[in-house]
Amino acid sequence: MRRTSGLIAAAVLVSTLAACGAADERSGCTPFVPQGDASRAVNVEGDVGSQPTVTFPTPLVTEAGQATEVVRGDGEVISRGEVADAQVSLYNGEDGQLLTATGYQENPEVILRRTASADDSLGKALACTAVGSRVVYTTTVEEVYGPDNPQIPLENNATIVAVFDVEDAFPGRANGAPQLGQNGMPAVVLAPNGRPGISVPAEEPPTDLRVAVLRQGNGPEVEQGDRVVLHYTGLTWDDEQIFDSSWEAGVPATFTAVSFEDDPAGIVPGLAEALIGQNVGSQVIAVIPPEQGYPEGQRPAAIPEGSTMVFVFDVLGIDQSPVE
């Protein structure tokens, strides 16, 4: 699969507003991250959806995560386990300098964070916020990037200040109605969080593209060229070795529903054909023969030449961010 590039790696990577709680009483949702003095000390100016102007007393110090919803959106409240789609700016708590940011209106790329993951510091901060909100989150470098990350020239206990603009929300897994399986297709068993376990039958793979819907969603239909939010696992038929999985990363990814034969930003032809026409909320399995996979010499090293690929993917949503 070829994924769109982001300006922030996943967990490696108006006027002055009065602070309010990160929790929202409309939903009964209990946030993972409490408010605190550090998150309330951050002043944010500018319109939601545009690069903010952020100031705070330096050095700003926090020993644990704190979150304050400085603008309360009026959209859907994001429950634990759902996926938040957000723009973000990260600042050094020591001197207030901007470390990195997504593109806001100049670039449609955002970050996707699953709000239920105990290991995802950024995702936890967005649980129980609402679409349209602006959230300040203060935490440590170690919480965001892990301990002693060689790519981050800051101490583990240094403070990071994140300002999120929450643009959309998606379910954390396919929520469609279960469907009957098809003979000759791999079996799929789901973990409690929705992650698929895939068992390939002990027989030769099919020579043509095979697609089956495991859970039938009732959301919008994916059209060619849509940017689709997916959770997925890909493995090879012959040895059942997983070569790519968003579940291992802990967050879904966004792909353009078009073959890379037609658009360099697209995905393998067989996967594009399997994805186009599916409904949001569906879980789908696709068995892709070599002829509809990667051309000779272009396959990733983890996929042996001539392999039949198996993908199980959850269609979580269609990214409606405007493309410049």
Side-chain angles (χ1 to χ4, degrees):
M1 300 177 82
R2 297 183 180 179
R3 68 184 68 198
T4 53
S5 61
L7 296 179
I8 295 183
V12 167
L13 118 6
V14 14
S15 54
T16 304
L17 296 155
C20 57
D24 193 317
E25 295 179 356
R26 294 172 293 178
S27 66
C29 183
T30 303
F32 286 107
V33 181
Q35 291 192 73
D37 291 340
S39 63
R40 284 192 290 259
V42 178
N43 181 69
V44 186
E45 297 181 355
D47 295 331
V48 174
S50 61
Q51 178 78 51
T53 299
V54 177
T55 56
F56 48 85
T58 56
L60 189 67
V61 177
T62 186
E63 296 180 355
Q66 302 173 12
T68 297
E69 195 175 54
V70 295
V71 176
R72 180 173 294 177
D74 57 7
E76 170 191 351
V77 176
I78 305 173
S79 301
R80 291 187 180 199
E82 293 185 325
V83 175
D85 180 336
Q87 301 282 356
V88 64
S89 298
L90 298 180
Y91 299 83
N92 185 346
E94 175 68 24
D95 57 14
Q97 294 299 306
L98 178 68
L99 297 173
T100 188
T102 50
Y104 293 85
Q105 293 141 331
E106 296 181 0
N107 189 307
E109 299 296 346
V110 293
I111 63 167
L112 296 170
R113 312 308 305 185
R114 190 165 186 267
T115 61
S117 175
D119 297 326
D120 185 350
S121 175
L122 298 180
K124 287 191 299 184
L126 297 176
C128 306
T129 60
V131 173
S133 295
R134 173 167 277 174
V135 179
V136 170
Y137 177 49
T138 57
T139 188
T140 65
V141 167
E142 183 172 355
E143 278 290 308
V144 176
Y145 296 103
D148 304 318
N149 190 311
Q151 298 180 357
I152 309 302
L154 297 172
E155 298 294 328
N156 289 335
N157 62 353
T159 295
I160 291 284
V161 176
V163 177
F164 295 98
D165 287 354
V166 183
E167 296 190 343
D168 208 344
F170 307 103
R173 57 187 291 183
N175 54 15
Q179 305 294 296
L180 294 175
Q182 292 186 11
N183 291 333
M185 293 288 278
V188 178
V189 178
L190 301 181
N193 69 348
R195 179 173 182 163
I198 306 166
S199 178
V200 175
E203 57 188 63
E204 291 298 311
T207 57
D208 57 347
L209 176 68
R210 294 281 306 276
V211 181
V213 177
L214 304 176
R215 302 185 74 91
Q216 179 61 59
N218 59 5
E221 186 175 292
V222 175
E223 298 180 359
Q224 181 167 315
D226 284 344
R227 289 180 296 140
V228 188
V229 180
L230 298 179
H231 246 324
Y232 67 92
T233 294
L235 72 158
T236 49
W237 179 287
D238 288 340
D239 56 13
E240 298 188 21
Q241 291 299 304
I242 294 174
F243 56 81
D244 197 8
S245 175
S246 64
W247 291 98
E248 291 186 4
V251 291
T254 302
F255 298 93
T256 303
V258 64
S259 167
F260 58 56
E261 294 178 337
D262 300 319
D263 185 335
I267 53 181
V268 295
L271 185 59
E273 184 175 336
L275 174 59
I276 295 168
Q278 302 295 346
N279 295 93
V280 171
S282 296
Q283 182 180 70
V284 180
I285 184 169
V287 179
I288 302 173
E291 294 76 16
Q292 290 181 272
Y294 291 97
E296 185 174 354
Q298 295 186 30
R299 61 180 173 78
I303 304 176
E305 199 73 57
S307 292
T308 294
M309 298 184 293
V310 179
F311 279 99
V312 174
F313 56 88
D314 290 11
V315 186
L316 303 182
I318 298 173
D319 187 350
Q320 302 293 342
S321 302
V323 178
E324 296 294 329

